Amino acid sequence: MQKLYEPLGDAQKHNEGNLDELVEAERPIEQRVAEQVQVQRRIKGTVRSLAKQVGELSETIGASLTDLARDILPELLEKHLGMKVRLSEPEELRLNGEEYPFDLFVRGEIQGCEVLVLCEVKSNVTLSGVKKFLARVEKVQSLAPGKDIRPAFFGYRANRDAREEIVARGASMAFSRGVMIF
């Protein structure tokens, strides 16, 4: 009976030897996985840091572009529409208890009539951005009937679809280089 179990015992010893070899072979893999986890953690931290820096840079560029718009847009409104500008600042409009922030709020008059130009400032004006902004302006216009409220955009560039939508909807677009479409 012992002879019957001998091949089984030999096979078990052989398997245990193979298992030991497998465990030894797995150690470097486990170490590499642990190293990869560390690398991935460092990458995540770096990406978070980069995202924060890009966000800060975007805010800086946005603020600079808004400052540029504050200087250029009133001149273009005076030149092209005959508007006498009294105020050109970022501001929030408060209507019916709701606040509507605008990148640039230009108040003045054209031929003695009060005009308010609400401006969206973006480095790249897109069709989806145009539609979203114009919907917000329409909401404000509906809350202030009888007021002459005009939408405008200011930026470095606008794609063709965005420019066509701006013109079709009766808005205007001023570019940083001093060109205006309406």
Side-chain angles (χ1 to χ4, degrees):
M1 179 104 97
Q2 194 170 6
K3 285 193 175 227
L4 183 65
Y5 291 115
E6 278 181 25
L8 214 67
D10 291 342
Q12 185 175 356
K13 285 179 187 176
H14 180 70
N15 283 343
E16 286 173 1
N18 286 342
L19 186 59
D20 289 341
E21 288 174 18
L22 187 58
V23 167
E24 283 300 315
E26 283 183 353
R27 283 193 180 125
I29 294 171
E30 288 173 358
Q31 184 162 348
R32 281 192 228 131
V33 168
E35 290 169 0
Q36 289 299 319
V37 167
Q38 290 296 330
V39 168
Q40 189 173 7
R41 285 186 184 137
R42 284 195 304 271
I43 289 171
K44 281 183 179 180
T46 301
V47 168
R48 273 191 225 112
S49 175
L50 240 129
K52 181 180 177 191
Q53 291 173 16
V54 167
E56 290 170 356
L57 181 61
S58 178
E59 287 178 23
T60 300
I61 290 170
S64 297
L65 189 57
T66 300
D67 289 341
L68 184 62
R70 189 182 303 152
D71 292 339
I72 292 177
L73 187 61
E75 291 177 17
L76 292 173
L77 291 170
E78 287 175 9
K79 177 181 176 183
H80 294 286
L81 301 178
M83 183 175 183
K84 294 178 184 171
V85 176
R86 290 192 310 274
L87 174 75
S88 177
E89 294 291 329
E91 196 167 309
E92 289 185 5
L93 247 179
R94 187 173 257 279
L95 296 169
N96 293 350
E98 289 186 60
E99 290 182 3
Y100 299 89
F102 291 96
D103 295 334
L104 198 57
F105 187 94
V106 183
R107 188 181 297 276
E109 58 183 62
I110 298 175
Q111 297 177 346
C113 297
E114 187 72 22
V115 175
L116 176 60
V117 177
L118 303 175
C119 185
E120 177 85 339
V121 178
K122 297 283 183 205
S123 60
N124 184 33
V125 178
T126 62
L127 178 60
S128 63
V130 168
K131 288 180 177 181
K132 184 177 175 183
F133 179 74
L134 291 176
R136 190 162 35 124
V137 170
E138 286 172 359
K139 172 81 171 169
V140 168
Q141 288 169 327
S142 73
L143 295 172
K147 302 271 185 193
D148 189 354
I149 300 173
R150 302 179 186 196
F153 297 85
F154 184 91
Y156 295 122
R157 63 187 166 281
N159 64 36
R160 180 187 308 274
D161 292 339
R163 290 190 314 262
E164 288 174 356
E165 184 75 7
I166 288 167
V167 172
R169 301 275 300 273
S172 59
M173 169 85 194
F175 294 92
S176 59
R177 63 185 183 275
V179 173
M180 187 166 186
I181 61 170
F182 47 97

